[in-house]
Each structure stands twice: as C-alpha cells, then as structure tokens.
Amino acid sequence: ILQKIEFTTVPNGYHALAAMSKLNTLSSSTQKRLLIFDSASGCLSPNFLGSHTNYDGGVGTGLVSEVAITLKRLARLHHYAIFVTNGMVGSSTTTTSNNVTSGFQPALGTMWRAADVR
C-alpha cells in the first residue's frame, strides 16, 4: 500500500500549483485519488500576506484563488477527494462600547472562505 502513496512538500503557493499540475497530467494513469493539503495557511500565507512593506498588488490573493480553483478542478474532473487543513489564529475585536473580545479565526480568513473550497 505504501507504494501507492506519494508525499510532496511545497513551500509556497507557486510550488503547490506546480505539484497539482503534475497530478492533473498524471491523473488518467494513476490510482491516487486522495489529496491532503495539510496546512494551507502555512503554505499560502507568505504569498497571501506578504510583508507590510512590500505590497504585491493583489498577486498573492490571485494565487490563493488559483490554488482553490485547481483543487476544485482536481476534485470535479479527476474525482479526487480533497482534504484541506487551515490553521487557526488568535483574533480580537473591539465593539462600539470599547469592549475587547478574543477568539479564533481561520488563518487565511475571509479570503479562503470566499474561495468556497467544498
């Protein structure tokens, strides 16, 4: 069974797209049908968030969207089961009465929710 498992490490969204593109071309000749994208936030955050001093003009947001579209394409066209994990980060909000509430939110925030990966 271990011969049917392939493990790939990707440091950012560009490498994730390249790895998924490889799966896209091999999907007709392989029996691999489960893709686990562990820590989407760890992989995509450098592209999505960038640095505060180096705004990328929205390229990171587009890359995150392209990763989401590619995941959907693999699922629909090639019948992959896709399992994506997204970390949680601490958050705090201040209400109009200056009360601060703390909690958690998805690490990729509303951008990943807008991608509608399901």
Side-chain angles (χ1 to χ4, degrees):
I1 236 172
L2 292 178
Q3 294 86 354
K4 294 183 178 184
I5 297 173
E6 182 178 333
F7 179 82
T8 303
T9 302
V10 292
N12 58 41
Y14 296 107
H15 287 89
L17 281 175
M20 286 186 278
S21 176
K22 179 182 168 189
L23 285 176
N24 198 20
T25 58
L26 295 175
S27 62
S28 61
S29 63
T30 184
Q31 293 181 355
K32 296 174 183 146
R33 294 290 182 225
L34 172 63
L35 172 63
I36 300 173
F37 190 1
D38 190 19
S39 190
S41 58
C43 177
L44 298 174
S45 290
N47 300 116
F48 179 55
L49 301 175
S51 67
H52 298 292
T53 59
N54 187 16
Y55 178 66
D56 68 355
V59 173
T61 304
L63 180 65
V64 171
S65 294
E66 187 61 33
V67 167
I69 289 167
T70 303
L71 288 169
K72 283 183 182 182
R73 186 178 306 121
L74 283 170
R76 289 187 181 148
L77 296 179
H78 302 293
H79 308 289
Y80 273 84
I82 309 288
F83 182 79
V84 179
T85 64
N86 182 12
M88 300 293 285
V89 294
S91 68
S92 63
T93 56
T94 306
T95 62
T96 56
S97 60
N98 290 331
N99 293 331
V100 177
T101 59
S102 296
F104 293 97
Q105 67 181 20
L108 290 175
T110 57
M111 177 56 207
W112 194 249
R113 185 178 342 140
D116 190 24
V117 179
R118 44 180 167 154

